[in-house]
Amino acid sequence: PAEINDSQIIEAFSREINVLNIKDQSIIPGDEQPSTYFISKDYNLKAKGTYLQFLIFFERLENADRIYNIKSLKLGTGDQSQRGRFQIITAEAVIQAYRF
């Protein structure tokens, strides 16, 4: 795409996060970074969920209309006690969106 619309991208991320029931989400847009052929923009995501929920979220990003790149991903154990079969983890990711 020729432009990056923050509200559309954040809404698309939030929609998938809500469908997957991922908790405590925070999505903060960063600065645009020019390159030779394209311009990228970072989005900082922080959330809590299970490993499987995050795996499905990133798989759904793969099928989006826009190209996304996971620039960095940090997973850690959550501060909540495990109540079910799956451990709650925290995720901090930097997701890049691109434009020409």
Side-chain angles (χ1 to χ4, degrees):
E3 62 182 45
I4 295 176
N5 186 331
D6 285 340
S7 61
Q8 287 179 345
I9 292 173
I10 291 171
E11 189 203 318
F13 290 167
S14 295
R15 183 176 43 246
E16 293 299 333
I17 285 171
N18 290 333
V19 166
L20 294 169
N21 201 24
I22 296 173
K23 304 293 183 192
D24 299 333
Q25 68 188 16
S26 168
I27 304 168
I28 302 169
D31 296 327
E32 289 188 350
Q33 302 161 354
S35 182
T36 306
Y37 302 106
F38 56 85
I39 297 172
S40 67
K41 185 163 186 172
D42 292 348
Y43 292 87
N44 299 306
L45 167 70
K46 292 182 182 182
K48 292 181 182 179
T50 65
Y51 179 80
L52 183 59
Q53 287 172 315
F54 289 115
L55 180 65
I56 293 169
F57 172 72
F58 292 124
E59 283 181 348
R60 289 184 178 185
L61 286 184
E62 176 185 22
N63 298 323
D65 295 336
R66 176 182 290 276
I67 297 174
Y68 294 109
N69 180 45
I70 309 304
K71 184 176 180 182
S72 68
L73 176 63
K74 180 180 176 184
L75 301 175
T77 56
D79 53 0
Q80 296 177 348
S81 62
Q82 184 174 347
R83 293 188 297 196
R85 186 170 117 181
F86 299 103
Q87 174 72 36
I88 299 296
I89 61 174
T90 59
E92 295 180 20
V94 177
I95 303 169
Q96 291 180 314
Y98 297 96
R99 73 176 175 93
F100 297 108

